[in-house]
Amino acid sequence: MYPRLLLNLCERSLYRASNCIRLDVKRLSNAANKDEKNLPEVNSTKFPDYKVIYIFPSIKQVCALNVVKNRFTVLSGVAAPVLIGLKYTNILSFETSISLLLAGILMVIWLHTLGIFCNRLIGYIYFKADEQKVILSYTDYWGKRIDLMVPVNEITPLSENPRSITDPLYRKVTISSQKKKLKINTKIGQITDINNFTYVLGMV
């Protein structure tokens, strides 16, 4: 009985969370489409000599999701043997222990599934024209910000990348000096400098 109730509760929570994410994405996408052509020039405070040419508005939420995923995974790993111990000492019933374990496992799976799409997602792109250098700021799998500085000529234009089934969600950014590819979402993200963005990443 308890496992079924818990599974139903988890399914409802996941459904509501998914709906909220879809609504936020839709709003951000509409806002980006309306304002993309009229965005003022954005200068970087973190890198004063660089111009911001791309911003992903929800990058802080993406980082927070990855951090929560990291902490919840650790918490679940610690909680599992504790729950088993409480069950064998008859402090918790078998049904309660199984229900809590299942809830933790389902939440970890859900967070890591979302984390696959958020891994190596670019939040900011900075460009310095006189030195032909680009800084790609992205979040890693655990929510840490990485600022990767590369020459422009190491970046493969987006138009030259092969088509992928993930293109509706994100485009892959290939860098010749890096083994792993980064991800960029041009539908939700805001291109603050179209000319320089096109120069760095090619046609979208």
Side-chain angles (χ1 to χ4, degrees), residues 136-151:
L136 303 168
S137 296
Y138 65 95
T139 178
D140 67 3
Y141 193 72
W142 301 112
K144 182 181 178 181
R145 172 174 173 156
I146 307 294
D147 295 317
L148 177 64
M149 181 183 295
V150 296

Side-chain angles (χ1 to χ4, degrees), residues 56-69 111 114-115 117-123 138-144:
F56 185 73
S58 300
I59 192 61
K60 291 183 179 180
Q61 288 79 0
V62 171
C63 290
L65 174 65
N66 285 338
V67 171
V68 169
K69 173 187 64 182
L111 289 173
L114 289 178
F117 298 101
C118 298
N119 185 29
R120 300 192 303 277
L121 183 65
I122 296 174
Y138 65 95
T139 178
D140 67 3
Y141 193 72
W142 301 112
K144 182 181 178 181

Side-chain angles (χ1 to χ4, degrees), residues 176-193:
S176 60
S177 61
Q178 303 292 318
K179 293 182 179 179
K180 295 182 179 180
K181 298 179 180 180
L182 303 183
K183 302 169 185 174
I184 186 170
N185 189 313
T186 55
K187 293 183 179 179
I188 302 176
Q190 297 177 349
I191 300 174
T192 58
D193 189 325

Side-chain angles (χ1 to χ4, degrees), residues 7-24:
L7 286 174
N8 289 334
L9 180 61
C10 289
E11 288 176 357
R12 291 178 183 176
S13 299
L14 293 177
Y15 177 76
R16 291 174 182 173
S18 300
N19 283 340
C20 291
I21 291 173
R22 291 193 193 101
L23 288 173
D24 289 341

Side-chain angles (χ1 to χ4, degrees), residues 5-65:
L5 290 174
L6 187 58
L7 286 174
N8 289 334
L9 180 61
C10 289
E11 288 176 357
R12 291 178 183 176
S13 299
L14 293 177
Y15 177 76
R16 291 174 182 173
S18 300
N19 283 340
C20 291
I21 291 173
R22 291 193 193 101
L23 288 173
D24 289 341
V25 167
K26 187 175 182 181
R27 293 192 191 105
L28 287 170
S29 180
N30 291 335
N33 290 334
K34 291 179 181 178
D35 299 336
E36 183 177 1
K37 295 183 179 179
N38 299 317
L39 287 175
E41 181 177 327
V42 180
N43 293 319
S44 170
T45 55
K46 186 176 180 66
F47 304 103
D49 296 333
Y50 286 75
K51 180 186 293 185
V52 180
I53 63 174
Y54 169 85
I55 299 173
F56 185 73
S58 300
I59 192 61
K60 291 183 179 180
Q61 288 79 0
V62 171
C63 290
L65 174 65

Side-chain angles (χ1 to χ4, degrees), residues 103-115:
I105 292 172
L106 288 174
M107 185 60 70
V108 168
I109 292 174
W110 180 62
L111 289 173
H112 280 269
T113 300
L114 289 178

